[in-house]
Amino acid sequence: MKVHVLLGPPGSGKGTQAKHLVEKLPLIHLSTGDILRDAVSKGTELGLRVKANMASGKLVDDNTVNGIVFARLQDETNDILFDGYPRTLFQAESLQTFLSSQGTALGLVVDIEIQEQELEVRVVNRRVCSNPDCCAIYNLNSKTPQVEGICDLCGSPLKHRSDDTPQALHSRLLEFNKTFEPLQSFYKGKPNYRYVEGNRPPELIHDRLVQLFQEQA
Ligand code: AMP
């Protein structure tokens, strides 16, 4: 098993890119945001615990997120593509320790960079499939569903994430800016760190990502 990481601010397209990549490459997509949203919508003990933080755009505490991730990785044999994890230096260091203890390699770390002004437009127009087994992502400007409000892939209703409002985005960006620099510095010196310019059409970013993954395979 190898573990790859997509870095980038909320709205940079990590989730969309991850979903398209796993259609083409032998990778399993693991989004901590999707796992946590599923827990919130099912009202599990975890969901009740993290609900308020998620709704206001704050991060969930490191130990909770690490616990979810390591339990998920424990018996995994396939290569994993993380989206939204690690989010803090502590998570990155904990992941590294976990991987070393398992004799598992860190694969690519791809940093999708994008200017902040672009993010609000993307996030406010984002719609996601409400089916937790699908989680397809749409955009009212650039990727509209064939039938308004309905997922093309599974027919479930689309919804606007409660943390995709300008207010919650502001809080998510504050969190991001607080935690990102040390996280980026942790990975920047590593040989598998790659930078991708995110202010481009998603198809071009996709092609670049496929190229990067194929080069290192
Ligand atoms: P995302 O779907 O990646 O934008 O994540 C949505 C929300 O889930 C975030 O704003 C956090 O509240 C929570 N979350 C997701 N991943 C993490 C993580 N790695 N660490 C802490 N909180 C997270």
Side-chain angles (χ1 to χ4, degrees):
M1 184 203 24
K2 238 188 207 172
V3 166
H4 307 280
V5 171
L6 286 183
L7 298 178
S12 58
K14 300 185 300 293
T16 303
Q17 292 298 340
K19 284 181 204 310
H20 290 309
L21 274 178
V22 300
E23 286 165 10
K24 227 177 229 173
L25 302 169
L27 296 169
I28 295 197
H29 176 201
L30 237 171
S31 155
T32 42
D34 284 348
I35 295 172
L36 292 166
R37 270 185 292 281
D38 188 31
V40 170
S41 73
K42 289 185 174 136
T44 64
E45 182 270 328
L46 168 68
L48 294 174
R49 198 149 41 86
V50 301
K51 190 174 179 173
N53 271 26
M54 290 188 70
S56 62
K58 295 213 172 72
L59 290 182
V60 170
D61 71 278
D62 285 335
N63 289 331
T64 296
V65 180
N66 280 339
I68 295 170
V69 167
F70 301 155
R72 177 66 185 72
L73 290 186
Q74 201 71 55
D75 297 314
E76 186 58 63
T77 51
N78 296 294
D79 289 356
I80 297 285
L81 177 62
F82 277 121
D83 135 36
Y85 179 88
R87 257 326 207 270
T88 63
L89 177 61
F90 183 80
Q91 290 179 17
E93 289 173 340
S94 308
L95 175 64
Q96 199 58 49
T97 306
F98 178 85
L99 294 180
S100 304
S101 75
Q102 304 281 305
T104 300
L106 178 71
L108 280 184
V109 177
V110 184
D111 186 359
I112 305 179
E113 295 226 345
I114 186 162
Q115 280 132 10
E116 263 187 43
Q117 310 89 284
E118 177 68 18
L119 298 174
E120 182 169 330
V121 181
R122 290 187 180 205
V123 156
V124 167
N125 287 296
R126 172 157 62 187
R127 296 293 179 275
V128 293
C129 177
S130 57
N131 172 0
D133 296 326
C134 178
C135 297
I137 303 170
Y138 298 83
N139 186 289
L140 299 183
N141 284 334
S142 53
K143 188 177 183 262
T144 49
Q146 280 160 15
V147 178
E148 196 185 326
I150 300 294
C151 178
D152 293 348
L153 301 182
C154 74
S156 302
L158 300 183
K159 62 175 187 187
H160 192 204
R161 277 172 50 172
S162 60
D163 60 351
D164 271 352
T165 59
Q167 206 177 15
L169 175 66
H170 180 69
S171 159
R172 288 158 74 200
L173 284 174
L174 282 179
E175 294 277 282
F176 176 80
N177 290 327
K178 247 189 337 208
T179 55
F180 188 63
E181 209 186 297
L183 178 64
Q184 191 186 40
S185 304
F186 178 82
Y187 284 125
K188 224 170 184 167
K190 299 199 186 296
N192 285 356
Y193 173 87
R194 302 283 182 278
Y195 165 89
V196 170
E197 168 57 62
N199 265 334
R200 291 185 292 166
E203 311 77 55
L204 294 185
I205 299 174
H206 172 75
D207 292 346
R208 177 68 184 131
L209 291 176
V210 171
Q211 189 189 20
L212 288 175
F213 277 90
Q214 284 172 342
E215 277 169 11
Q216 68 80 53

